[in-house]
Amino acid sequence: IQGKPYQLESLIVKPDGKGPFPLAIISHGKPGRAAETKNHTPYAFTLQAREFAAHGYLAAIVMRRGYGRSSGEWAETFGDCNYGLFEKGGYATADDIAAAIGVLAKRPDVDASTTVAVGVSAGGFGSLAYAARQPEGLKAVINFAGGRGSRGTWNICQEDRLLDAFEAYGKTTKVPELWIYSENDKSFGPELAQTLLQRFTAGGAKVTFVKGP
């Protein structure tokens, strides 16, 4: 990643057989407190990975730099609430996603020419950033309540700058995306989610939006 080697803790769930299988890369969120990043584990998404495997995908849950047992320092900072450099923070997440896919693509049981990026919260936001770079092989994104900067119930740090980041990502995104946001989400609630959608699709990006309960 940016010319330096890292070891990223991962859990892989795949169908029976030799493959090669299409790839689903699953990206986790970020805890509210930085001290909790080391408590993250890929096993938290085992059920989701098994569901993708049941549909024929090799699913890889990857802990990014600074999370779980992955090496390196946490790299996804957007500064503080005086700056809100969300676009930059999202691209740092995208760097880890890209690096993981680059390694997984070398496996004989992976067909990285058909890849789906799946993420929740900060992982969903980073998956949007990854797609904005138009990487080869990426076919779609599934974004579960993607965003950054939540400080509590419907309290977003530098919300205007978060919206700017969504708009910037949307301008260069070519693959279809599925977004799932919940009405009872205390970080990225229904009203904000609709505004994020409007800004993201303003440049022509294609999104299927699902509002959960």
Side-chain angles (χ1 to χ4, degrees):
I1 302 171
Q2 296 183 350
K4 296 181 180 180
Y6 297 92
Q7 291 183 316
L8 302 183
E9 180 186 10
S10 304
L11 174 66
I12 291 174
V13 182
K14 66 176 188 175
D16 292 333
K18 295 182 179 180
F21 306 104
L23 174 65
I25 183 93
I26 300 175
S27 300
H28 57 82
K30 176 189 174 297
R33 293 185 298 175
E36 297 175 350
T37 57
K38 290 298 183 182
N39 296 330
H40 266 46
T41 169
Y43 292 99
F45 292 95
T46 301
L47 292 178
Q48 290 85 348
R50 289 180 60 142
E51 190 68 24
F52 275 99
H55 285 79
Y57 287 82
L58 183 145
I61 309 160
V62 181
M63 300 288 102
R64 302 185 296 276
R65 285 171 290 172
Y67 292 95
R69 294 186 294 175
S70 293
S71 65
E73 298 296 324
W74 182 67
E76 300 172 351
T77 181
F78 55 81
D80 58 30
C81 279
N82 293 319
Y83 298 98
L85 303 176
F86 294 111
E87 189 175 349
K88 177 182 177 182
Y91 280 131
T93 304
D95 288 342
D96 290 47
I97 294 172
I101 292 174
V103 172
L104 290 163
K106 298 176 183 178
R107 292 174 55 113
D109 54 0
V110 169
D111 175 13
S113 68
T114 302
T115 297
V116 176
V118 185
V120 60
S121 190
F125 183 68
S127 296
L128 302 183
Y130 176 69
R133 290 174 167 172
Q134 303 180 23
E136 184 177 354
L138 183 68
K139 301 302 184 184
V141 171
I142 304 176
N143 162 33
F144 292 93
R148 292 293 306 273
S150 175
R151 295 183 293 183
T153 301
W154 299 323
N155 183 354
I156 303 297
C157 172
Q158 296 282 357
E159 184 175 312
D160 287 346
R161 294 185 181 182
L162 179 63
L163 292 168
D164 288 345
F166 269 77
E167 182 174 328
Y169 294 159
K171 287 180 178 178
T172 58
T173 296
K174 302 299 182 184
V175 298
E177 301 193 347
L178 171 63
W179 290 16
I180 302 171
Y181 285 77
S182 177
E183 288 185 346
N184 64 0
D185 191 314
K186 300 304 183 183
S187 295
F188 309 105
E191 183 175 343
L192 175 58
Q194 285 296 321
T195 307
L196 294 172
L197 176 66
Q198 292 168 7
R199 292 287 292 273
F200 187 84
T201 57
K206 303 299 182 184
V207 174
T208 298
F209 186 88
V210 176
K211 182 171 64 174

